[in-house]
């Protein structure tokens, strides 16, 4: 006996769209069939005539209960937690969120995951998972925990090639340590999720713009620019190409140079995957000049029209594999509290 039959809807599948019936047993779809051909009894029949039926979406990049820097150096706040974020996600058709378990010095990776579980277990309406985020100069004994972490089901290791802002010193992982991480993920079936920007260019431009008095957040795209993405993508991708079996998931691709770097490596057969964000393909850096322009910002920044077009092309050709939100859900007053290039709140205030 089936638990649920969904009848009469326009069903979206990888193979096309059509009017089909769906059979569900337990938590699995066991059949997608022509109308009227499911003869098995069902505990519940849902008539969705005139509606569209789509698989649940996955947001592969979300930050719930995430520290938010306070302008002026006050104690950090936190973004919304898993309960309201997952509730909102389900209303939009997203049924899984992938957040981050952040390793802190002095912890094991297992302890970091268990600490993150306190935020999520029993407090989420949808499915969830974690990327494991390492930071700084990762000790050898923590590197040696990567195989066990992958075997436990946490297969993606988040890596920053930059500290992002001057107030976040310690996130950047040196390339020697990244090389060690890639060797371990490659040997044990994992993947590295890379936030790639050129740290020297980013920090130089913070210093330069502050020195010149151009500190308004509307200039943030000059700091987190397309050159930085191009250089950093090519360096980290080349490193991965030289580690047999290393796979990369390049998070929040925002510029044409990033798309090109991924495409060139994929054309050579390397397992390099791109993620973009919906607002990178919808807005340019001109949006920062609008009222409450902070609402359009995350890190890296918005770019130009040619970058938007390249991202659309990347999505249609498969160079860009996923679209995410980089969700950091906050009230409007929190999202717009930062006024400077070095304190504007990142993340998309939605999921």
């Amino acid at each position: 006996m089936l638990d649920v039959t969904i009848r009469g809807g326009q069903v979206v599948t990888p193979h096309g769209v059509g009017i089909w019936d769906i059979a569900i047993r337990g938590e699995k779809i066991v059949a997608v069939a022509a109308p009227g051909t499911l003869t098995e009894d069902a505990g519940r029949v849902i008539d969705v005539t005139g509606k569209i039926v789509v698989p649940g979406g996955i947001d592969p990049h979300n930050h719930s209960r995430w520290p938010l820097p306070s302008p002026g150096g006050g104690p950090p706040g936190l973004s919304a937690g898993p309960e309201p974020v997952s509730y909102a996600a389900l209303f939009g058709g997203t049924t899984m969120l992938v957040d981050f378990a952040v390793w802190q010095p002095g912890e094991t990776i297992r302890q970091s995951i268990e600490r993150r579980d306190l935020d999520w277990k029993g407090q989420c309406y949808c499915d969830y998972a974690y990327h494991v985020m390492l930071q700084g100069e990762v000790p050898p004994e923590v590197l040696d925990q990567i195989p066990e972490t992958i075997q436990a089901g946490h297969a993606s290791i988040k890596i920053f090639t930059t500290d992002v802002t001057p107030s976040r010193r310690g996130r950047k992982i040196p390339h020697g340590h990244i090389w060690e991480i890639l060797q371990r993920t490659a040997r044990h079936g994992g993947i590295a999720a890379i936030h790639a920007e050129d740290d020297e260019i980013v920090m130089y431009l913070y210093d330069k713009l502050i020195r010149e008095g151009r500190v308004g957040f509307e200039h943030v795209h000059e700091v987190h620019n397309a050159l930085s993405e191009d250089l950093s993508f090519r360096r980290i991708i080349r490193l991965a190409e030289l580690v047999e079996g290393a796979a990369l998931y390049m998070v929040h691709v925002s510029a044409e140079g990033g798309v090109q770097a991924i495409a060139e490596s994929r054309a050579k057969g390397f397992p390099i995957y791109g993620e973009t964000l919906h607002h990178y393909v919808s807005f340019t850096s001109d949006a920062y000049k609008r009222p409450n322009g902070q609402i359009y910002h995350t890190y890296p920044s918005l770019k130009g029209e040619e970058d938007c077009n390249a991202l659309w092309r990347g999505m249609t050709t498969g160079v860009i594999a996923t679209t995410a939100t980089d969700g950091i859900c906050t009230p409007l007053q929190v999202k717009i509290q930062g006024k400077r290039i070095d304190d504007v709140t990142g993340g998309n205030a939605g999921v």
Side-chain angles (χ1 to χ4, degrees):
M1 181 174 178
L2 300 173
D3 293 296
V4 180
T5 299
I6 301 173
R7 299 188 185 277
Q10 187 171 222
V11 180
V12 179
T13 79
H15 307 292
V17 179
I19 304 298
W20 294 310
D21 293 346
I22 301 172
I24 300 172
R25 182 179 292 118
E27 295 187 358
K28 291 186 177 181
I29 295 173
V30 295
V32 177
T37 61
L38 295 175
T39 58
E40 192 172 350
D41 290 338
R44 182 185 180 196
V45 176
I46 304 174
D47 186 348
V48 294
T49 301
K51 300 184 184 301
I52 298 173
V53 184
V54 297
I58 299 172
D59 186 346
H61 193 148
N62 179 262
H63 300 276
S64 295
R65 286 188 60 82
W66 193 257
L68 301 172
S70 297
L78 292 173
S79 66
E83 184 174 6
V85 172
S86 61
Y87 196 69
L90 290 174
F91 267 91
T94 295
T95 57
M96 183 172 181
L97 301 171
V98 187
D99 207 299
F100 296 82
V102 181
W103 170 80
Q104 298 289 353
E107 291 183 329
T108 65
I109 296 178
R110 180 187 293 274
Q111 288 171 332
S112 304
I113 294 169
E114 290 173 347
R115 177 166 48 78
R116 194 57 164 148
D117 282 341
L118 297 176
D119 293 327
W120 280 87
K121 277 191 174 179
Q123 301 181 65
C124 181
Y125 292 103
C126 66
D127 294 333
Y128 65 91
Y130 311 135
H131 305 286
V132 171
M133 176 181 149
L134 301 179
Q135 50 186 339
E137 296 186 358
V138 184
E141 63 271 18
V142 174
L143 294 173
D144 290 341
Q145 294 163 19
I146 290 175
E148 177 187 355
T149 302
I150 294 171
Q151 292 163 11
H154 304 282
S156 53
I157 306 298
K158 175 70 178 290
I159 293 169
F160 284 83
T161 68
T162 177
D163 286 326
V164 185
T165 66
S167 64
R168 306 183 197 188
R169 300 288 185 183
R171 283 193 179 185
K172 173 187 173 182
I173 299 180
H175 275 75
H177 291 72
I178 295 174
W179 179 55
E180 291 282 0
I181 293 168
L182 293 180
Q183 292 179 75
R184 287 161 172 79
T185 57
R187 282 199 298 268
H188 298 278
I191 189 169
I194 310 289
H195 177 136
E197 295 183 82
D198 189 289
D199 192 64
E200 291 184 4
I201 287 178
V202 167
M203 295 305 162
Y204 170 78
L205 287 169
Y206 272 118
D207 290 342
K208 182 176 189 289
L209 267 64
I210 290 171
R211 185 171 63 250
E212 294 174 353
R214 294 188 292 125
V215 297
F217 75 87
E218 65 274 12
H219 298 290
V220 70
H221 64 286
E222 299 179 50
V223 177
H224 297 273
N225 59 30
L227 173 63
S228 168
E229 180 161 314
D230 193 336
L231 293 175
S232 59
F233 271 48
R234 291 183 182 281
R235 184 179 185 190
I236 197 71
I237 288 173
R238 184 58 181 146
L239 178 61
E241 289 176 349
L242 294 171
V243 176
E244 184 177 357
L248 299 183
Y249 178 75
M250 305 300 292
V251 301
H252 43 51
V253 182
S254 66
E256 183 177 17
V259 177
Q260 291 176 342
I262 295 169
E264 290 167 13
S265 186
R266 288 180 60 81
K268 293 183 286 187
F270 292 103
I272 312 296
Y273 307 93
E275 168 203 278
T276 194
L277 310 181
H278 63 289
H279 47 309
Y280 287 150
V281 301
S282 302
F283 303 101
T284 72
S285 57
D286 288 342
Y288 293 141
K289 301 173 185 177
R290 300 181 186 182
N292 293 337
Q294 300 98 318
I295 64 176
Y296 303 100
H297 178 63
T298 192
Y299 296 98
S301 65
L302 298 171
K303 303 296 193 298
E305 187 69 33
E306 67 280 6
D307 301 294
C308 288
N309 294 336
L311 290 166
W312 280 111
R313 290 193 299 271
M315 288 191 292
T316 59
T317 60
V319 172
I320 300 297
T322 65
T323 304
T325 64
D326 197 6
I328 296 181
C329 296
T330 67
L332 176 62
Q333 63 268 26
V334 174
K335 181 61 179 169
I336 65 173
Q337 67 184 355
K339 310 295 184 186
R340 294 169 49 97
I341 56 174
D342 54 358
D343 68 10
V344 61
T345 301
N348 176 59
V351 67

